[in-house]
Amino acid sequence: FQSMSSIPPLSLFENQFMAQQPGRFTDGMSQVPFKFELPMKGLFESYHGVYISVSYFINCSCERGMMQKGLARSVEFVVECPEATKDEVEPEPFAITPESLENVEESSISVIPTFNITGRLFHKLCPVNLPFTGEITIQVSAAQIKSIELQLVRVESVMDSGNTAREATEIQNIQIGDGDMCRNLVIPLYMIFPRLFTCPTMITDSFKVEFEVNLIIVFVDGYMVTENFPIELYREK
């Protein structure tokens, strides 16, 4: 966020140690084993977003003798934070009709072609390491349908000094159906959450990373209908 560009990065964990005592290495390849433990609490999952990122790096440096340039290398590693399975209610049904549309004036509803689209989301509390699933059925549609799409969106928010900057950006968009689908045919919804570009939902005092799914029905005449579903992600053990 341009307005939040002055906020310094937040350090979650830092551990510095000497992996090899000063001395000389023999000719050929030398391996220096090392290990360290991450704290059990206080870390977030690795995540690469547009405005917010959570990254973990191993930085290794080697100081050489006089008149020789030192060596350095940085390698990113991935952190995952599994949780116990969370209980969820039964699959949530939904219905999309002209009357259910938001941001549409009542006087305009009568000129919208008739349609009735129903379905179910099997999870709104979604394990990020399992697919997002559901089903959709075109009960009635007076207008021909061009395609049905499923869009995954990240919503990133940064809070500072009482101000909040919030931005929603697309992660991926997949096509569920192509053409004027048969009526009363159950069409499955299936989407894999991409690694690193998604993570368990994060809500802190200084930033938030939330996720939404948009179900988009595109008609042949160019009009489209979008139904928004906020979802919560977590990593199941």
Side-chain angles (χ1 to χ4, degrees), residues 115-130:
F115 60 85
N116 182 17
I117 301 169
T118 62
R120 295 188 301 166
L121 297 183
F122 295 157
H123 298 284
K124 291 185 71 175
L125 184 59
C126 308
V128 71
N129 46 332
L130 296 177

Side-chain angles (χ1 to χ4, degrees), residues 105-161:
E105 296 180 359
E106 292 186 9
S107 58
S108 302
I109 293 179
S110 60
V111 300
I112 298 177
T114 302
F115 60 85
N116 182 17
I117 301 169
T118 62
R120 295 188 301 166
L121 297 183
F122 295 157
H123 298 284
K124 291 185 71 175
L125 184 59
C126 308
V128 71
N129 46 332
L130 296 177
F132 175 85
T133 56
E135 60 186 30
I136 180 174
T137 303
I138 310 298
Q139 305 285 355
V140 176
S141 180
Q144 289 188 342
I145 294 175
K146 181 179 180 181
S147 69
I148 299 177
E149 301 170 2
L150 201 59
Q151 181 188 47
L152 179 62
V153 175
R154 66 170 75 85
V155 182
E156 298 172 315
S157 305
V158 176
M159 290 78 75
D160 181 60
S161 302

